[in-house]
């Protein structure tokens, strides 16, 4: 538990928010552009940080990204979606679905 708390304290809010905004700005709906753009972005992001991600093709044009951390027993697996449902009529959105903006106020 102590290691988890130390890791959480090391997280920079500005960096996390910036990463989330960059990811949201990449259209990734399926059907449509799909998740290839998000996977490419995350692959570069992880490589810049010294990790060795590799792609697995779940289906043609639908890659998954996998990263191994460490060796031996134990480990950590994080899984998330890199594609989203279609945004529908973007004119109906209060904020652009791929804007990556932070609304102010309530």
């Amino acid at each position: 538990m102590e290691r988890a708390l130390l890791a959480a304290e090391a997280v920079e809010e500005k960096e996390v928010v910036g990463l989330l905004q960059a990811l949201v700005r990449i259209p990734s709906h399926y059907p449509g552009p799909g998740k290839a753009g998000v996977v490419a972005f995350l692959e570069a992001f992880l490589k810049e940080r010294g990790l060795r991600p590799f792609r697995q093709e779940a289906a043609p044009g639908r890659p998954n990204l996998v990263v191994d951390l460490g060796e031996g027993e134990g480990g950590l697996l994080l899984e998330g979606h890199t594609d989203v449902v279609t945004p529908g009529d973007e004119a109906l959105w209060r904020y652009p679905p791929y804007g990556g903006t932070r609304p102010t106020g309530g």
Side-chain angles (χ1 to χ4, degrees):
M1 180 69 166
E2 184 177 321
R3 290 176 67 189
L5 291 174
L6 289 173
E9 289 174 0
V11 172
E12 295 287 335
E13 179 182 354
K14 186 176 179 180
E15 183 178 357
V16 172
V17 170
L19 173 60
L20 179 58
Q21 288 175 310
L23 288 168
V24 167
R25 289 181 178 126
I26 303 170
S28 59
H29 55 273
Y30 184 83
K35 57 187 180 175
V38 171
V39 168
F41 174 88
L42 287 172
E43 185 175 35
F45 178 86
L46 295 168
K47 284 180 178 179
E48 288 171 3
R49 284 150 182 82
L51 299 171
R52 294 187 312 263
F54 63 93
R55 293 180 188 217
Q56 289 180 333
E57 288 292 318
R62 298 187 70 185
N64 287 329
L65 196 60
V66 178
V67 180
D68 287 327
L69 299 174
E71 298 178 14
E73 291 187 32
L76 173 66
L77 172 67
L78 301 176
E79 190 275 330
H81 287 276
T82 51
D83 59 346
V84 297
V85 297
T86 59
D89 184 354
E90 294 186 33
L92 299 175
W93 285 70
R94 183 173 180 184
Y95 300 96
Y98 297 110
T101 58
R102 293 179 76 177
T104 57

